[in-house]
Each structure stands twice: as C-alpha cells, then as structure tokens.
Amino acid sequence: MSTPTTKLSVNLNKIALIRNSREGSYPDLVHHGEICLEAGADGLTVHPRPDQRHIRPGDVFDLGALVAERPGIEFNIEGNPHAAPLGNYPGFMELVRQARPHQCTLVPDSNDQLTSDHGFDLRQSADALRPLVEELHDLGIRVSLFMDPDLEQIERAQALGADRIELYTGPYAAAHKAHSSELETLLDDYRAATQHARKIGLGVNAGHDLNLDNLGEFLRIPGIDEVSIGHALTVDALSLGLAPAVKAYLDLCRHKTRR
C-alpha cells in the first residue's frame, strides 16, 4: 500500500517582505504565486499582520482571485483572529470575511511578535475563539488552530469545533538542527498528537521552520494532511530557483525522496 501524500501550501510572506523593501510591486506576488502553482503546489498561504510588514490586504484579494481560477487549489489565510483594524488593514476577521479562503488558520501571535512561536492554550482562549470558529463555519471556511503537540489541548480544539489543527513544529526543527538527544522524544510527541487528533476526527497540518533537511523525517509520521512552508522555501529558491524549490519540497511531501 502506498503512503498517503501530504499537500504543500506555499507561504508567500517572505516574497512580499522583499517587495516591501522598495517602492512598487517588484517582485510581483501574484506572478510568484503562479510559479508555485505551476510547479505543482497544492495551495498558497498568507499571514497578514496589522503592520503589513509583508502581506498587505490587497495581496489577500489578488491571491484569492488567482487561486479561484484553479480548481482543486486551496487558499489559506492564517493569523491572529483578534488583530484589530490599523490604517487600511481592516482587522483579521474582516479580511477573512471579505476574502473567503478555503481554510483559515487561527494563530495566537501578538502584533509585535517576529513570528509565531507557540500554540493556543485553549484553557484560556476557548471562550473568545468559539464565536469566531462558528462564524467561519457559517462562511463555509475550514478552521485550523495552531497547536502544540499536547493531547489535552488537542481534545479542547476538537470540542471547540475546529476542523483541523496545525502542529507548531518549531521545537522539532530546532532539535533536528542541533542533533539534539531530545529529537526522538519530540517526534514521538508529534506522532502521538497526530494519531490522537485523527482518532477524534481532526485533520492535521504542520508548519514552522520545516525545510529540506528536516521535512522528510517529520513526514515519516503518518497522517499529516498539509504542510505550510514559506521562509525556508524562499531561502532555497535563492539557489535553486523558485519552481525547482517547490518541486523539491513536493518530492518530500509525496515521499519520493528522503533527507
């Protein structure tokens, strides 16, 4: 029996960051999104923040329109659901209401965080998230919650009505890079979290600091539906080219190569 493949959603934030370092729209985000999709990516991800350090509201709509032209391709918007309006940023939930992505990944990051670095503690966050999850479902949007590999928290995500979780893989990536003795224990934790999530009816995504060196080993865990990768893929594109970088990640997601 063949091993199920994992879908690849390319996060375009870092390409937007390069564009924002100068005036104008170079590199063009939609063009690079097209390159990713032509190379075989299963979807595109954006993480708009109020400071618009990378993705801007207009990018969300432009990329949403690009994906809408391609049946079977998914658009994923991730971010802090409580992010309020700022300037021409309409607030996270309002942006999602207007853009109607296939999937919305809710992330517990604050406006001043450099990047997402932990999952939700649903003992504290569930009451505030519940009406937002319900609203997203009413809009026909799949809901994923950014989570640590904690079985109790994953059960709370299921009780809250999430469709999927996205496992925060930063600790795994750090341990892999350091050749840490904790690596196998961490992999066991992610494996147990994935198995438990699927047992109780949740889909499982994963993301953060996954790259060509560590992705293959992580995907030996069965049952990962999707990975969202941006920073490392953009860095690899500097030497490989964007389309070959996407294809290299796809080979790992499709279990054609191991690293």
Side-chain angles (χ1 to χ4, degrees):
M1 182 181 295
S2 62
T3 304
T5 61
T6 300
K7 291 186 176 182
L8 172 67
S9 185
V10 177
N11 187 316
L12 296 171
N13 280 24
K14 290 304 166 68
I15 295 176
L17 183 68
I18 296 170
R19 177 202 59 193
N20 292 356
S21 66
R22 295 283 184 93
E23 294 183 359
S25 59
Y26 182 73
D28 181 87
L29 212 57
V30 171
H31 173 65
H32 285 76
E34 288 178 330
I35 292 173
C36 293
L37 297 181
E38 290 295 328
D42 301 290
L44 300 176
T45 289
V46 293
H47 188 145
R49 288 182 166 89
D51 62 10
Q52 301 185 50
R53 69 185 78 162
H54 32 60
I55 294 295
R56 298 166 177 162
D59 299 327
V60 174
F61 302 117
D62 291 343
L63 292 168
L66 171 66
V67 170
E69 299 172 352
R70 298 168 184 258
I73 301 300
E74 290 198 347
F75 190 39
N76 173 48
I77 301 178
E78 62 181 28
N80 174 9
H82 306 298
L86 181 66
N88 70 341
Y89 174 82
F92 182 81
M93 286 297 296
E94 181 58 28
L95 196 54
V96 172
R97 290 181 193 112
Q98 295 179 36
R100 302 289 182 95
H102 300 88
Q103 177 173 266
C104 183
T105 302
L106 305 182
V107 181
D109 62 356
S110 61
N111 291 350
D112 58 355
Q113 276 184 238
L114 182 62
T115 187
S116 307
D117 60 10
H118 63 280
F120 278 107
D121 179 355
L122 294 178
R123 293 169 297 188
Q124 307 295 326
S125 305
D127 288 345
L129 287 174
R130 185 168 285 105
L132 303 181
V133 171
E134 292 174 354
E135 179 183 358
L136 291 169
H137 282 157
D138 288 342
L139 293 170
I141 299 170
R142 182 197 309 135
V143 179
S144 180
L145 299 182
F146 199 63
M147 303 294 293
D148 299 311
D150 180 309
L151 302 192
E152 178 193 349
Q153 292 286 346
I154 290 169
E155 288 187 355
R156 291 177 181 272
Q158 190 270 346
L160 187 59
D163 303 292
R164 292 188 184 184
I165 57 169
E166 179 175 332
L167 290 171
Y168 167 54
T169 52
Y172 159 74
H176 191 281
K177 183 177 181 180
H179 304 287
S180 170
S181 60
E182 298 179 355
L183 180 60
E184 289 304 319
T185 299
L186 279 169
L187 280 169
D188 286 342
D189 289 343
Y190 284 102
R191 186 176 295 107
T194 300
Q195 290 173 348
H196 188 65
R198 298 195 72 88
K199 180 180 178 180
I200 62 176
L202 292 171
V204 181
N205 300 339
H208 204 87
D209 291 338
L210 295 173
N211 58 37
L212 290 176
D213 292 325
N214 62 38
L215 179 61
E217 186 168 1
F218 187 82
L219 290 183
R220 291 184 182 130
I221 298 172
I224 305 295
D225 292 297
E226 175 185 290
V227 290
S228 174
I229 302 177
H231 179 83
L233 192 152
T234 305
V235 172
D236 289 321
L238 296 176
S239 54
L240 299 176
L242 182 55
V246 170
K247 291 176 181 178
Y249 281 90
L250 283 169
D251 281 348
L252 290 170
C253 290
R254 293 167 180 166
H255 307 284
K256 291 182 178 178
T257 59
R258 292 295 185 197
R259 292 190 177 224

